[in-house]
Amino acid sequence: MADRPLAVTASALRPPQGFAARLDVPRRVTLLAAGLVVLLVGLLLAFIGWNGIQIFTATGASLTDIIAPVWSPSATPARFGILPFILGTLGVMVVAAIIAAPLSIGLAVFMAEVAPPWARSITRPAMEVFVGIPSVVYGFLGLTILVPFLRESFRGIGFTLGFSWFAGSLVLALMILPTIASIAYDALLTIPAELRSASLALGTTRWQTIRHILLPAARTGLLTGMMRAAGEALAVQMVIGNRPTIPTSLTAPMTTLTSQITLDMGNTVSGEPWNQVLWTMGLVLLLMSFTFVVIVRALGRRGSGS
């Protein structure tokens, strides 16, 4: 007798009930693990938030004292203005995104729409290798190659030290380029082929299809790459000059939130104002990252709706 296919009844598709539900161990373990992750994230956010506001509650400092242009923690009286670090972080991120965005999104479009299979089989693994390179390697290459090159080749236009805003942005752009390209490439692959075919059938050119259908799907990759850029410290710290002043030009040394935190964390004692303001800088950096997450999710929902 030939084997008959098993019939799937409606009762088999219903979730376990009664005693069977109480014995549904995998489901309970999964829920427990998910709840534990949520709890850990909540505790982490609460810990950073609580320490980040201690500079205001313990010392009586005002917001204008912290969002100030002068950083001089060892002076008398000490001044803890973190405005140079906020502007430095945003400045490095923006310039790095301006450099990396056209190259990375162009690479993603090339791999998804233009490249033959043999070229795609080479570029995709190479891109993944670049994503896995440690940041200290990028920083060391920038320190030994980029900074001397800028100092010797462009001294006449202001690169007297080589350590500069532009050097930090260039190293950061090289770091986030494969991340943006990889995310944009994955976003392009999720677009149904029917949309491309329908667009071409309506008489549009290949560039018009890329411009109006494909590129909007890749925009979230740019902001995701910028989120990684916001938290990068070591590579940028090695080439940016680490001068706590408000940046005035691309050729001037400067510093960022993450760089200053790593530089000063070993020089402070827990509970003193200098240490408390470092926690405030970490809280500011966390809020910046949350802002980018909200923007990415909003763009994703907007793209799904359109």
Side-chain angles (χ1 to χ4, degrees), residues 236-280:
V236 175
Q237 178 184 330
M238 295 173 70
V239 300
I240 204 171
N242 301 307
R243 182 176 295 177
T245 56
I246 294 178
T248 56
S249 68
L250 289 174
T251 63
M254 57 180 294
T255 190
T256 63
L257 287 168
T258 49
S259 297
Q260 198 65 34
I261 291 173
T262 56
L263 286 172
D264 289 353
M265 65 172 57
N267 302 323
T268 63
V269 178
S270 179
E272 66 176 9
W274 192 349
N275 181 266
Q276 291 170 347
V277 79
L278 294 182
W279 281 105
T280 303

Side-chain angles (χ1 to χ4, degrees), residues 133-225:
I133 294 177
S135 60
V136 66
V137 176
Y138 287 103
F140 185 71
L141 291 175
L143 181 65
T144 57
I145 298 176
L146 178 62
V147 169
F149 175 76
L150 292 176
R151 182 173 58 241
E152 300 299 330
S153 302
F154 300 98
R155 185 183 299 270
I157 59 174
F159 288 98
T160 54
L161 299 177
F163 298 98
S164 59
W165 177 0
F166 181 74
S169 296
L170 198 58
V171 170
L172 193 57
L174 184 61
M175 291 183 58
I176 66 176
L177 190 151
T179 300
I180 298 175
S182 179
I183 296 173
Y185 175 71
D186 292 337
L188 293 175
L189 291 183
T190 61
I191 299 177
E194 291 79 4
L195 289 179
R196 298 176 176 86
S197 302
S199 177
L200 295 174
L202 290 173
T204 61
T205 64
R206 171 185 260 186
W207 164 244
Q208 289 173 331
T209 300
I210 293 174
R211 167 67 180 84
H212 296 288
I213 295 179
L214 302 183
L215 290 184
R219 60 191 169 192
T220 57
L222 173 60
L223 290 175
T224 305

